[in-house]
Amino acid sequence: MIERLAAVPALAQRFPALAAIVLGLVAACAYPPLHLWPLGLAALAGFVWLIHSAETWRGALWRGWVFGWAHLTLANNWIATAFTHQAKMPEVLGWAAVPLLCIYLAWYPAFAALVAHLLTKKRPLWAFGLVLAGAWIITEWLRGWVFTGYPWPPLGLMLLGPWNTPGLAELLRWTGTYALSGVAVVIASLMLGALLARRWVVAGSGALAIAAAMLIPGHAPIKPQIAGLRYTLVQPYIPQSEINDASKFEEQFQRIAALTNPGRKEQRIVLWPESAIPDYLEDGYPERYYLQMTAAADPDFARRRIGGIIGPQSTLLTGVVNLDIGKREDGTRGAVSARNSVIAMNGAGQITHSYAKAHLVPYGEYLPMRPLLEPLGLSRLVAGSIDYKAGPGPRTMDLGKHGKAGIQICYEIVFSGHVVDRKNRPDYIFNPSNDGWFGWWGPPQHLAQARMRAIEEGLPVLRSTTTGISAVIDANGVVRDSIGMGKAEAITGFVPKAKPPTLFAQWGHALTLGWAAVFLILGLGLPRVLALTRRRG
């Protein structure tokens, strides 16, 4: 057995691209829904060794790219499922779209590997690991905003514990997400170094410490909260196949109303998901836009009906679509753009606040380079031909007795450092989403990244989704209550308390880049210091 294991490095060196693919695929299994984090860390250690052993910069770049391509393709396989819920493009295109997207995304880990190789020639493995960690932090941070950004998933996601404990992601409040990814690289490098040096006690002790940090709850058992801001969070179960089916609109509304109605005499916030309301609730649109509404083509009646359901002392936060009306190219008056929005509505049916989604999904909510791509038969995934317009960014709704709500619609929650208005910090974050697009692989990852934002910002996150997974997450990243996939249910309780602003909440990505600098300086400087110390000794 030992002889067979000893042959693995030789095989990896003989077939480095194949080794990088296998390691990338295994590392992706560390994320939800599989969450095989021990395998993920082992694969990450193998990746560190594979890059460290590359003889040329081209070899390091190629191995890093292949690892990143395989890793991100498997982790993002849920995107392909979204193509099964539209009719304008062939469904099979989804299975080509994911690996094609990852041809671009893979350059970020490739550049991290290249930087580590160029800066740490003939340096020990532990120093290489530190430099790779610093480079990875920078490239993952860049992936979060270059070309609008696509940070899903961050490598540090594998360090998030099960629902009842944050695991090593507890560090997020002091590191931020991208620096936590660097910590994952350092852990894998140190464990690899101990194994290669045959320091079995060190390696075993380290493995036990990591397991304890990942699995043992680091906070006192949660006691039932008996006071505070009461909520009713609804998951109506609206399958993606019914979202745009006008014959189902009234049935959907009655289902969400039935789940909301209990407790309507209490003072509370009511939370409905993205895509919950097919009706246009703003006044002033041309009449044709109201014809398929559930409420007799009358937005005023629709608002009053919703107000009557939530109750006189409630505030509703719900996803809606708002339109921007103007003169179109054909000269008619109509919608020129749309906004994926959350509104706040009181019990009288009055809209008091509105927020428009800022991080729109490319090819989902708008089609980049539309004049070029539309003639080729490409379309966006969301129904309709009018592109959505981006909002101004994080905003806080002051709802008075119902607290200050930060809003992040759907995948906006995955953008570390961009989920809170730092000049007007909310009491909680509301994250409505339609996860019905994303099969069984995407929703658990989406929830996990919402947990990371809760830890990072020290704020509770309340997620209401159309099909699951809906959840109430406290400021430690612990899931207090949830509704599973494929269920129509409501949960009630009190909004968990916010923590004081974390270090990351105060410093943002200045802290991220600071940690990158620390790892780079340690990796480049410590070997020289140690060498000088030996010479003097």
Side-chain angles (χ1 to χ4, degrees), residues 78-319:
W78 54 268
I79 296 175
T81 309
F83 282 77
T84 66
H85 297 296
Q86 53 79 47
K88 292 186 177 181
M89 295 178 288
E91 293 182 10
V92 70
L93 185 61
W95 297 106
V98 179
L100 286 172
L101 169 65
C102 293
I103 288 174
Y104 157 69
L105 296 178
W107 284 108
Y108 292 96
F111 286 134
L114 175 63
V115 168
H117 174 84
L118 293 176
L119 294 181
T120 56
K121 291 179 180 179
K122 299 180 181 180
R123 292 179 186 269
L125 180 64
W126 62 265
F128 175 85
L130 285 167
V131 173
L132 179 60
W136 191 286
I137 292 169
I138 293 171
T139 56
E140 197 168 84
W141 168 71
L142 289 170
R143 181 159 66 93
W145 62 268
V146 173
F147 301 127
T148 76
Y150 185 75
W152 187 318
L155 191 67
L157 182 60
M158 67 173 62
L159 298 183
L160 182 67
W163 285 10
N164 66 332
T165 179
L168 283 168
E170 179 81 43
L171 297 173
L172 282 167
R173 61 186 85 250
W174 299 287
T175 64
T177 290
Y178 307 137
L180 185 68
S181 296
V183 171
V185 174
V186 170
I187 290 173
S189 302
L190 294 177
M191 292 296 292
L192 175 63
L195 289 172
L196 292 178
R198 300 195 175 189
R199 295 180 178 177
W200 311 121
V201 174
V202 173
S205 300
L208 287 174
I210 293 168
M214 287 293 292
L215 300 175
I216 298 176
H219 301 275
I222 298 171
K223 296 180 180 179
Q225 195 170 327
I226 58 174
L229 174 59
R230 186 180 294 275
Y231 68 82
T232 296
L233 188 152
V234 177
Q235 177 176 298
Y237 185 60
I238 305 175
Q240 195 61 32
S241 60
E242 297 181 5
I243 285 285
N244 299 305
D245 184 349
S247 68
K248 300 283 188 179
F249 286 172
E250 184 63 25
E251 176 188 332
Q252 295 165 7
F253 183 82
Q254 293 302 325
R255 184 159 62 245
I256 200 170
L259 292 167
T260 303
N261 199 49
R264 65 178 301 279
K265 295 182 179 180
E266 298 173 341
Q267 182 175 300
R268 59 178 182 166
I269 54 167
V270 177
L271 305 172
W272 290 357
E274 181 186 28
S275 305
I277 300 177
D279 297 345
Y280 294 118
L281 299 181
E282 289 186 325
D283 294 317
Y285 300 168
E287 187 177 355
R288 64 182 180 276
Y289 290 102
Y290 299 121
L291 291 179
Q292 290 187 331
M293 290 175 54
T294 63
D298 184 349
D300 179 63
F301 175 77
R303 293 192 299 267
R304 286 187 283 110
R305 183 165 76 150
I306 292 170
I309 289 166
I310 65 173
Q313 299 187 77
S314 298
T315 293
L316 169 68
L317 294 175
T318 183

